[in-house]
Amino acid sequence: MNTYTFRRREFIKYGLISSLFLLSGCSTYQKKLALRGISDTFPSEFVNSLSTGWEFFPIKDIELKTFSYNSTLQEKTDLLVLNDGWIYDLSINSLREIRADKIRKNFSKQANSFLYGLGDDYKKKVLPLAVSPWVILFRNEDSLALKNKNSWEVIFSSSLANQIVFPNSPYLLISIAEKIDLVNDFSKIKSYAKTFDDRNALNWVVSGRANAAVLPFSSCVDSLIKDPRLSVLLPQEGSPLNWTVLASPSLSPEYFPTDWFNNLWGDSSLSRVISKGFLPPTDLSDLRRKNINVPQKYKSIFLPEESVWNKCWSLPKLSLESKKDLALNWNNS
């Protein structure tokens, strides 16, 4: 009887211990911090350098067709990585201020100009992670009769009529048009468009269904290096900038992972990240003095000359009235 009681007690004891281990494991897992974002739209090194306390949850492309970024915040999200075009899809009240003064004080003029353009509500709640210029990607450039090959005006070459894929962003296209003094009449851009499709722009060109496309440099680097039929142009007038940014939901209790950010742009990964078409939000002058391993043919795009980089621009937030005027001008052209 005593033996039975002893065994029964031991069984219960070990069962309780096992349960505590399981609960401890679940508790540890639940405490992992969640980073969310769309894969391939930001440097993969940022995810690869995740500490053990973080876990990356990709936002599938298909979700963006029916759900907004804001909907992802209904799930546990400690940090969100996204492109600047989606910032205003996030309710300002859903975000908290990112306190990273040591990082912010090293930002370049371009990064500070971008933040200033967001307005006071967003500029303290968004942190630039990386940036890439919009460029023009060509297929079989030598066979095309191109005029003004160093300018945005090249898009009006006869060989690109109905053969160029533009981003589905009137705001971005109007900003480019203004750089080449094409104001208030945007019918010319429309007449040269094959389609407006930023999500599939690369595929249009690689497949041969279009001769050119306007897209962020980072989104076409891999194909550019592998496919000799492709070439790329960063116009001398400068270019719109495509920013990758970080935002933190207001309910997240965690501080911003400054070391994680610094590791991305540290010496061990700097060259790899730049070779993927991304640049840091800090001054580029120091980078040009470093041994960054990029194809010599496109070095002036991977590491733009200061004279061109200083002409690049970010798209500031539009007021409701400005949005209406822009839409009216675009639709009536």
Side-chain angles (χ1 to χ4, degrees):
M1 180 68 178
N2 289 339
T3 302
Y4 172 78
T5 302
F6 172 78
R7 289 176 178 173
R8 184 171 178 273
R9 286 175 179 172
E10 288 297 303
F11 177 80
I12 294 173
K13 175 183 176 182
Y14 288 121
L16 287 172
I17 292 174
S18 298
S19 297
L20 288 172
F21 274 117
L22 286 172
L23 288 172
S24 175
C26 290
S27 176
T28 301
Y29 177 79
Q30 289 172 354
K31 289 182 180 179
K32 274 203 169 187
L33 306 176
L35 169 71
R36 297 186 187 276
I38 300 178
S39 302
D40 302 327
T41 62
F42 58 91
S44 59
E45 283 76 8
F46 192 58
V47 170
N48 295 341
S49 61
L50 279 171
S51 66
T52 55
W54 284 82
E55 186 171 1
F56 175 62
F57 296 92
I59 302 173
K60 297 180 181 178
D61 287 355
I62 193 171
E63 290 179 331
L64 291 183
K65 297 177 182 178
T66 54
F67 300 105
S68 67
Y69 266 107
N70 213 37
S71 68
T72 66
L73 301 186
Q74 295 175 11
E75 303 178 79
K76 182 181 183 299
T77 304
D78 295 281
L79 203 59
L80 188 64
V81 56
L82 67 161
N83 288 334
D84 60 339
W86 291 95
I87 290 175
Y88 306 116
D89 192 50
L90 296 172
S91 166
I92 188 64
N93 294 327
S94 70
L95 303 178
R96 62 178 293 201
E97 180 180 346
I98 295 180
R99 298 180 180 178
D101 293 342
K102 289 184 179 180
I103 292 175
R104 291 182 185 274
K105 74 177 183 179
N106 292 321
F107 279 163
S108 64
K109 291 181 179 179
Q110 288 287 12
N112 285 321
S113 176
F114 163 67
L115 288 171
Y116 180 81
L118 297 180
D120 291 337
D121 288 343
Y122 282 91
K123 69 180 182 181
K124 292 183 179 180
K125 296 187 175 184
V126 169
L127 195 79
L129 174 70
V131 63
S132 184
W134 287 78
V135 296
I136 308 173
L137 180 72
F138 299 102
R139 175 188 166 96
N140 296 328
E141 179 183 345
D142 292 340
S143 68
L144 302 174
L146 300 178
K147 296 181 179 180
N148 302 308
K149 287 182 66 173
N150 291 321
S151 167
W152 278 107
E153 292 185 12
V154 72
I155 62 178
F156 300 126
S157 300
S158 59
S159 57
L160 296 183
N162 301 121
Q163 283 296 318
I164 184 166
V165 178
F166 290 117
N168 189 22
S169 171
Y171 187 18
L172 187 144
L173 293 175
I174 287 175
S175 77
I176 292 173
E178 290 174 343
K179 286 290 178 178
I180 53 178
D181 297 324
L182 184 67
V183 183
N184 295 327
D185 182 8
F186 309 111
S187 58
K188 190 173 183 180
I189 290 180
K190 292 180 178 181
S191 68
Y192 275 76
K194 176 82 172 183
T195 187
F196 298 91
D197 183 2
D198 37 336
R199 291 179 62 79
N200 301 297
L202 177 61
N203 291 336
W204 279 94
V205 179
V206 171
S207 66
R209 292 178 294 160
N211 290 337
V214 175
L215 72 179
F217 184 48
S218 59
S219 67
C220 66
V221 166
D222 287 346
S223 296
L224 180 69
I225 302 305
K226 296 175 183 177
D227 192 336
R229 299 170 302 176
L230 303 180
S231 59
V232 71
L233 167 68
L234 176 61
Q236 62 186 3
E237 300 95 346
S239 175
L241 295 177
N242 185 63
W243 290 92
T244 302
V245 303
L246 297 168
S248 182
S250 58
L251 297 180
S252 173
E254 300 301 323
Y255 290 104
F256 182 77
T258 302
D259 291 343
W260 184 15
F261 183 98
N262 291 335
N263 287 338
L264 176 67
W265 297 113
D267 291 337
S268 61
S269 58
L270 180 65
S271 186
R272 291 197 307 273
V273 177
I274 291 177
S275 69
K276 294 180 179 180
F278 294 99
L279 288 166
T282 51
D283 193 357
L284 302 189
S285 58
D286 291 338
L287 297 182
R288 299 187 186 96
R289 294 193 290 268
K290 294 185 177 182
N291 185 26
I292 306 297
N293 185 24
V294 295
Q296 191 64 32
K297 182 179 180 180
Y298 298 116
K299 187 174 181 179
S300 63
I301 301 178
F302 281 99
L303 294 168
E305 295 296 329
E306 190 171 352
S307 59
V308 174
W309 187 246
N310 287 341
K311 295 176 185 176
C312 293
W313 68 94
S314 302
L315 300 178
K317 182 181 180 181
L318 289 175
S319 65
L320 184 60
E321 192 64 30
S322 296
K323 285 182 181 179
K324 291 179 180 178
D325 291 342
L326 183 147
L328 188 63
N329 289 339
W330 180 259
N331 293 333
N332 289 340
S333 295

